[in-house]
Amino acid sequence: MKIVIIAGARPNFVKVAPLFQEIRRHPQIVPVLIHTGQHYDAPMSDQFFSDLEIQPPDINLGVGSGSHGMQTAEVMQRLEPVLGSVNPELVLVVGDVNSTLASALTAVKLGIPVAHVEAGLRSFDRTMPEEINRLVTDAISDVLFLTEESAANNLLHEGIDREKLHLVGNVMIDALQRFKPRWERSSIFRRLGLDGRSPYAVVTLHRPSNVDDPDTLQNILTALQELSNHLPILFPVHPRVKPQLLRYGHVAWMEPWEDKWCLPQGVVCLEPLGYLDCIALMSRARLVLTDSGGIQEETTVLGVPCLTFRENTERPVTITHGTNRLIGADPGRIVREALWTLEHPPHPSGPPPFWDGRAAERIIGILLERLPPGSPQAMATTKSFAHHS
Ligand code: UD1
């Protein structure tokens, strides 16, 4: 059984890693990994492949950066002939990036069944590029793997057939748990001069709504400067934000590979961190401030307080079960919420249902059930059940 698995951007790599580990236990599956090349810098891509022990891509489409239309079209144009010659029984896509949408659309138009991992999440904010990617990918996929109960409600509300839905848990949490022995050994603390006891916060930012508008970014940076009077703030910087930060100028840059034996102070910007270093750094933080979707989930399981620079989240379980709170981008509110949270750290109410490190096992189990080897049409005809335990 040949399955094409597509990954294009940083969070995709984390999601496919446990799937590949699981597939190795089933020699009847022949996985073909296609990297779209949406993320291509070494710290955004290669580092994740080596940290997460992912096999090198069989094919790299090398699409690179561009406008949404251009990036989506490039993936489609380059993927179509590849899928035609590989001729898989299934294409599996993960997450909600442009590569996810473009790959699902290409496959479905070639008549190849599509499975979507992390389906059904909705922010109900259509100005968010990922929301469009999620809506379209789910509408055209044949099998939908869900991380949380809210996703089932969203998809049923959109009229999607219940039989396509499988609540399986969260492959990102599989990765967090499986690689724990490795991220616990990360040398990031020594490299950053952190003594393991003194408090610090971690910040990540990359959403266009926060970083592309200079006023919004300025507001967030002003709040971070104020907050850094209370504890050092470590800020691994996504490449789309770096030019704006360099223009802003009031932040210090630090090379994490230089040995620093004094505690960092203020807002300290770092080059993007690999997976193991990033999780290790977040795991001991007093506070994480972010606009990332995945980090809301990871902090939920790490039990680290998370404040999200957004007014909505497509991952409500991180609020009901986890440590996440939505705080927008107003500087006064950011500082107030952060100081309050430092004084009153929230306690997660236990991991969300099925976030037990076995999501990949469930996903591959369901695919094997639905796609017995030698019956390429099985996906279209086999019935499934709504919630898989
Ligand atoms: C993408 C996803 C977003 C995801 C994020 C994770 C879409 C619409 N967005 O956003 O959902 O949360 O990845 O990081 O798919 N760049 C580099 N080197 C790289 C990659 C990007 O320099 O390896 C710079 C380029 O200037 C590029 C910009 O970052 O134009 C944005 O990259 P892009 O892949 O378009 O979107 P992200 O912001 O990374």
Side-chain angles (χ1 to χ4, degrees), residues 9-11 37-42 44-45 64-66 68 71 96-99 129-130 133 206-208 238-241 292-293:
R10 194 164 58 168
Q38 177 173 347
H39 284 177
Y40 45 86
D41 284 347
M44 302 289 286
S45 177
S65 300
H68 286 264
Q71 199 171 51
D96 57 12
V97 302
N98 286 345
S99 297
E130 294 80 2
N133 295 344
H206 74 287
R207 297 243 161 256
H238 186 289
R240 76 176 293 143
V241 194
S292 151

Side-chain angles (χ1 to χ4, degrees), residues 84 89 96-97 102 114 121 135 144 150 152 156 164 173 190-191 203 215 240 250 309 316 324:
E89 283 151 277
D96 57 12
V97 302
V114 175
L121 299 179
L135 280 160
L144 298 163
S150 72
L156 292 173
K164 291 183 176 178
I173 302 309
R190 180 181 56 75
R191 278 146 55 214
V203 171
D215 291 339
R240 76 176 293 143
H250 298 305
F309 301 124
N324 187 23

